[in-house]
Amino acid sequence: MRRALRQFVVRRQPMTAAPEVLAELQGLRVRVPHLTGAMVASTDGLVIAHLVTGTEPDGLAALTAAALGVGARLSDAVGHGGFRELVVSGELGYVATYAAGAASVLTLLASADANVGRLNLEARRTGARIAELVDGALERQRQA
């Protein structure tokens, strides 16, 4: 079952962008102190690339998609426009989710010592680059 799911994910994801997306996540990890994990998932909850340990990436991707849906509905309901980001502060750290184009979302995990301002700044920049990579790969797939 697990193998079949992975094959499905591979076919659905823009594989041409995955190595570049992973490189963006690695760069982000270097630039942001106290970053403990990073993941890019499709808006429907499938993993594109990740640097997470101690957490199941598929489960985190599914939760990210759910959070994206709730955040988008909440923002829309109060008239604040499209979803951009959601930051959850827990006792031991942060989970931050950022829109990354039309088809993907960036989720970051950080310890409680993280500078949230720096996290937001770097995540927004990285999210824009990831959006170009993923949306571009999807467009190339559509044209092929």
Side-chain angles (χ1 to χ4, degrees):
M1 180 68 174
R2 183 87 143 143
R3 185 171 178 202
L5 178 61
R6 286 183 188 265
Q7 289 172 348
F8 175 73
V9 170
V10 166
R11 283 194 297 268
R12 293 263 332 248
Q13 296 306 315
M15 292 305 295
T16 58
E20 291 88 356
V21 170
L22 186 58
E24 289 293 335
L25 294 181
Q26 290 167 333
L28 185 62
R29 185 172 246 176
V30 169
R31 292 188 307 275
V32 179
H34 307 290
L35 189 66
T36 60
M39 182 188 65
V40 175
S42 65
T43 55
D44 57 352
L46 300 174
V47 176
I48 295 173
H50 73 87
L51 295 174
V52 294
T53 56
T55 301
E56 175 61 38
D58 292 330
L60 182 59
L63 287 170
T64 294
L68 173 66
V70 171
R73 277 183 257 147
L74 180 60
S75 183
D76 186 52
V78 297
H80 287 183
F83 176 85
R84 287 195 183 170
E85 59 197 51
L86 173 68
V87 177
V88 177
S89 175
E91 292 176 7
L92 302 177
Y94 301 92
V95 179
T97 300
Y98 302 85
S104 61
V105 61
L106 169 66
T107 295
L108 303 178
L109 310 175
S111 70
D113 296 331
N115 178 326
V116 178
R118 176 75 182 268
L119 179 77
N120 284 329
L121 177 68
E122 293 293 344
R124 291 170 187 152
R125 290 176 180 164
T126 301
R129 288 191 296 273
I130 289 170
E132 291 173 7
L133 292 168
V134 173
D135 291 350
L138 286 173
E139 185 58 33
R140 286 189 298 279
Q141 281 183 347
R142 282 188 205 112
Q143 292 174 353

